[in-house]
Amino acid sequence: MATEYGQGYGLDSGPGFPGSTERRLRLPAVLRAPVEPRTWLELTHVLLGLPISVLLFTYAVTMVSLGAGLLVTFLGIPVLAAGLAGCRGLGALERTRARGLLGLEVAEPEPLRRNRAGAMAWMGAVLKSGASWRALLYAVLHLPWAVFSFVVAVNVWLLGWALLTYPLWFWVFPVYAGEDGIQLYGDGTHRIYLDNPFEIAVTALVGLLFTITSPWIVRALTMVDRLLVQGLLGPSRLASRVVELESDRGVVVDTAAADLRRIERDLHDGAQARLVALAMDLGLAKEKLQVDPQAAARMVDEAHGEVKTALQELRDLARGIHPAVLTDRGLDAALSAVASRCTVPVRVEVDLAERPAPAIEGIAYFTVSELLQNVSKHARATSAGVEVWRTESRLMLQVLDNGVGGADAAEGSGLAGLADRLDAVDGILVVDSPAGGPTRVTAELPWRGEHVR
């Protein structure tokens, strides 16, 4: 059967190719770069950048200058608004160009916010939008950079390939120009030409150096284009943060609603049903008290056991809402209590000089509690560990087990929901669980001190 080596190059793996089962013959990146599609796409982006930047600059300066000159009349405002709106549209084209040629994904900036319909409201929204002015700034700033990058890229690229292929076309000079080759130096009495085989070979080697280097130079030039597009044509940090907070708020609301439904279901199916049955049993015992005292006594004993069970279910439910031990004694005692209920031995280490804020403390408790439940149900482990510590402005949680591994938060499991809950408070969940184990789940939460209570 052909290996990757054989499949890639039409060769059969066998005794003649030791170690070829997982080997793939590939040129080094520095040699592949001049012929890679990415390099040619980036070069195309630089070459197109100059004419497009001239168009952007001309449009932006003309419209803004015209609008500013007409501000003494009412016509200045609509002209300026139209100019800014056009800059936003041209910015959308630039994002598309960057996506197609540079593979750069940039989200659209924040949309115009209008309180009412109408032309005046639209013009006001355009003029007040930061994205409009950033698009104008991009149109102005990109022209000098486009000129610089165009000149550098074209000269380096043409020089490299011209020198590299010099052995193929040096004969043009003696045949058509009446010279021996490229003139390296010359004055009134002495001239040096690149005409002998050694000089031609050295010229080709210098061309090879330029050819190998030019893709990386072009790539460095396009990095500035990436920064300009991301910084000026994408959403602002504030707008991105607002969107993130709106998403997190939705997660928090959904989580709270799910928790309320769970509590209602547990009360209805557990303690409430048990208490209803208990009331019926006590009613029957009351009726039999005069007729059959012994049967009534047995029913009362059974009811007593049901009361104990109902109380235990209510305690478990209360512990699931917010355990008293967490409020009274903090994370160390609360996590030790959770660990004692795990089906495998759990080592708990909490290294905190002070307690975090109640909200962070509660999230940390429920995170570890859910992770230990996963260990009990799915890990098939023989031991586990919980570590909690603080580093700078973050509260760190880590749950380890020696189980079978294979946990993945991307598969829509309980870990995914837990990651969403942590993300809602600027937290992070990282799962390292290779097949065969061990599993290491690390959670980060923002630190806020207890004095925030």
Side-chain angles (χ1 to χ4, degrees):
M1 177 173 142
T3 63
E4 185 178 3
Y5 185 99
Q7 291 167 353
Y9 292 88
L11 299 175
D12 292 331
S13 61
F17 301 94
S20 63
T21 54
E22 292 297 333
R23 183 190 301 173
R24 184 178 180 183
L25 181 60
R26 299 185 66 185
L27 291 173
V30 67
L31 297 179
R32 295 198 315 270
V35 295
E36 281 185 332
R38 174 182 175 180
T39 299
W40 293 99
L41 290 174
E42 290 173 341
L43 180 62
T44 303
H45 184 275
V46 173
L47 297 180
L48 291 176
L50 180 58
I52 292 176
S53 292
V54 170
L55 173 63
L56 289 173
F57 184 87
T58 303
Y59 173 82
V61 171
T62 300
M63 295 298 292
V64 171
S65 300
L66 181 61
L70 292 175
L71 280 178
V72 294
T73 67
F74 177 75
L75 293 177
I77 294 178
V79 171
L80 186 57
L84 291 175
C87 288
R88 288 176 67 106
L90 294 173
L93 293 178
E94 282 292 89
R95 289 195 302 273
T96 302
R97 184 167 72 98
R99 183 184 306 113
L101 298 178
L102 300 181
L104 179 65
E105 293 291 340
V106 178
E108 293 185 2
E110 55 274 20
L112 297 177
R113 298 183 179 274
R114 290 186 288 176
N115 297 327
R116 61 184 186 279
M120 292 300 297
W122 176 82
M123 287 187 288
V126 172
L127 293 173
K128 290 187 294 184
S129 171
S132 303
W133 295 100
R134 291 198 305 274
L136 172 64
L137 184 60
Y138 175 87
V140 174
L141 293 180
H142 194 258
L143 178 61
W145 174 251
V147 173
F148 173 79
S149 58
F150 182 91
V151 171
V152 171
V154 169
N155 281 278
V156 171
W157 200 270
L158 291 180
L159 179 63
W161 284 101
L163 295 181
L164 178 62
T165 59
Y166 183 59
L168 302 177
W169 57 272
F170 77 96
W171 55 269
V172 172
F173 289 92
V175 173
Y176 295 102
E179 297 182 353
D180 295 333
I182 295 179
Q183 182 176 325
L184 188 63
Y185 171 78
D187 54 24
T189 60
H190 186 66
R191 295 179 182 179
I192 298 177
Y193 294 97
L194 302 175
D195 55 355
N196 63 60
F198 175 75
E199 292 172 345
I200 292 174
V202 171
T203 302
L205 290 177
V206 173
L208 177 62
L209 179 62
F210 272 95
T211 303
I212 291 174
T213 307
S214 56
W216 306 101
I217 295 176
V218 172
R219 191 158 301 171
L221 295 173
T222 58
M223 289 302 296
V224 179
D225 288 281
R226 294 171 186 270
L227 294 175
L228 287 173
V229 173
Q230 283 181 322
L232 297 178
L233 299 182
S236 65
R237 288 189 176 184
L238 180 60
S240 300
R241 182 60 177 163
V242 168
V243 172
E244 181 182 353
L245 290 176
E246 289 177 347
S247 175
D248 291 345
R249 182 181 62 183
V251 172
V252 170
V253 171
D254 293 342
T255 301
D259 288 340
L260 288 175
R261 288 193 298 270
R262 176 183 59 81
I263 294 170
E264 180 182 9
R265 183 178 63 251
D266 291 344
L267 283 172
H268 182 271
D269 297 340
Q272 180 179 344
R274 196 173 295 278
L275 290 174
V276 169
L278 175 62
M280 295 175 61
D281 290 342
L282 289 176
L284 293 174
K286 181 179 178 181
E287 293 177 359
K288 291 192 174 186
L289 185 60
Q290 299 295 333
V291 180
D292 190 353
Q294 292 182 351
R298 286 195 303 270
M299 296 180 70
V300 169
D301 286 339
E302 293 174 359
H304 184 255
E306 290 293 321
V307 168
K308 290 182 178 180
T309 303
L311 287 175
Q312 183 61 42
E313 290 182 355
L314 289 174
R315 289 193 193 98
D316 294 339
L317 183 60
R319 187 185 296 114
I321 298 172
H322 194 87
V325 65
L326 178 62
T327 303
D328 298 337
R329 299 172 58 190
L331 272 176
D332 195 353
L335 294 182
S336 297
V338 172
S340 66
R341 296 193 296 270
C342 189
T343 57
V344 301
V346 180
R347 172 182 51 85
V348 178
E349 294 184 6
V350 178
D351 183 14
L352 297 176
E354 59 177 314
R355 293 179 63 175
I360 300 300
E361 195 174 55
I363 294 173
Y365 170 83
F366 288 111
T367 299
V368 174
S369 178
E370 187 162 341
L371 291 175
L372 287 180
Q373 287 182 19
N374 287 342
V375 172
S376 298
K377 295 177 181 178
H378 309 297
R380 286 183 277 172
T382 58
S383 65
V386 175
E387 298 175 2
V388 181
W389 72 97
R390 177 186 176 183
T391 172
E392 297 180 355
S393 61
R394 307 291 285 181
L395 177 64
M396 307 294 296
L397 314 171
Q398 196 169 82
V399 177
L400 310 93
D401 69 75
N402 63 350
V404 296
D408 188 0
E411 294 182 353
S413 60
L415 289 174
L418 189 58
D420 290 340
R421 292 191 182 193
L422 293 180
D423 184 63
V425 293
D426 286 337
I428 301 173
L429 185 74
V430 179
V431 180
D432 179 18
S433 181
T439 296
R440 181 190 303 267
V441 181
T442 305
E444 291 186 23
L445 290 168
W447 176 272
R448 290 198 295 271
E450 190 179 10
H451 64 274
V452 182
R453 288 176 185 267

